[in-house]
Amino acid sequence: MAKRILTALIGAAVMGIGTQAASATTLGDVKAKGFLQCGVNTGLTGFASPDASGNWSGFDVDYCKAIAAAIFGDATKVKYTPTSAKDRFPALQSGEVDVLARNTTWTINRDTALGFNFRAVNYYDGQGFMVRKSLNVKSALELSGAAVCVQTGTTTELNLADYFKANNLQYNPVVFEKLEEVNAAYDAGRCDVYTTDQSGLYSLRLTLAAPDDHIILPEIISKEPLGLAVRQGDDQWFDIVSWVHYALVGAEDFGITQANVEEMKKSTNPDIQRFLGVEADTKIGTDLGLENDWAVKIIKAVGNYGEVFDRNIGAGSPLKIERGLNALWSKGGIQYAPPVR
């Protein structure tokens, strides 16, 4: 009898601990402290970089602002934690950051063993190579024997090894932990080749002493679906972060912009009414734990997906990266938002 009682008490205690853990939500924690803690890159032009006054901007930064806008109605309620490729995952696992918005590839290992959740891909990318024009190299298949600068602790390092092995090419990896170290080594001529996500190459080329002396080779050697990551175990937070992206894409699909969002609230299109939270019976916001005009707040803060893309890395930016796969599904790309209903 005593053993049964002890077993029951232990079971009740375990259930109590589980209940406490389940009741502690990331949304609640973020609201309680009054800001979102967002993990970003240490400095990648177009994606996340601070100016001389410490003000952050970029494609990934706008996602942090969009999440804050959805929660608080104020895109400034964000604090940024710069993370290297090595320390980004411990920062998320430990709770140092609430979300990781840092050009991070969705892989099975990160989705399972590391305990993270990915869903929405906000940038479809692939690994490429940058070389000096003076090498007269036109293809990555001509790189046998080259010294290649690469950042350690990344899928980039693994993809590099796979590509050279598969093509029976020799190479000398020149490895650094910090992005700034990789950049400096390549710019100083310590390696012949720089490899990372192609979007990163466009960004990094702008920082070199003579950007026009370098070309990006045509080969894409991997699939790099980049997206925001959160810790497993909090479905509500996972949904909020995912649907912030879908709201940005959906707004572009509907033709809703930062400039016309108030006017679009008068639309008679039921899909737009529901999306903007003006339909009388809508619960799309409250079901997420947000206000029903959460999408309006996001669009007012940063615009739609196309505006975020063009302003930071696309046609309206120094990078001038083409939309490619990141165009809407209706315009030849694969960016697609589920229905809001």
Side-chain angles (χ1 to χ4, degrees), residues 45-114:
T45 302
F47 287 87
S49 58
D51 63 17
S53 300
N55 298 310
W56 287 82
S57 64
F59 181 82
D60 293 334
V61 169
D62 275 353
Y63 271 83
C64 301
K65 293 178 178 178
I67 296 169
I71 297 168
F72 299 108
D74 186 346
T76 67
K77 292 192 173 183
V78 186
K79 292 187 179 180
Y80 299 97
T81 300
T83 60
S84 69
K86 183 178 179 180
D87 61 27
R88 56 183 163 170
F89 298 135
L92 182 58
Q93 288 167 327
S94 67
E96 181 184 350
V97 299
D98 304 309
V99 60
L100 188 63
R102 186 203 176 283
N103 53 304
T104 297
T105 302
W106 180 2
T107 70
I108 187 171
N109 175 263
R110 295 168 180 178
D111 208 13
T112 56
L114 294 188

Side-chain angles (χ1 to χ4, degrees), residues 127-130 148-151 156 160 193-197 201:
Q127 185 172 332
F129 298 95
M130 179 166 61
V148 184
C149 275
V150 62
Q151 188 176 17
T156 306
L160 173 65
V193 185
Y194 195 133
T195 186
T196 188
D197 294 346
L201 294 176

Side-chain angles (χ1 to χ4, degrees), residues 256-265 276 295-296 299-300:
I256 304 170
T257 68
Q258 195 172 30
N260 73 10
V261 61
E262 279 298 326
E263 187 64 26
M264 291 295 281
K265 287 166 70 174
L276 297 179
V296 174
I299 300 162
K300 282 185 174 181

Side-chain angles (χ1 to χ4, degrees), residues 26 50-51 57 173 197 275 307 310-311 314 319 328:
T26 308
D51 63 17
S57 64
D197 294 346
F275 178 70
E307 291 176 292
D310 290 344
R311 177 172 63 245
L319 275 68
L328 293 180

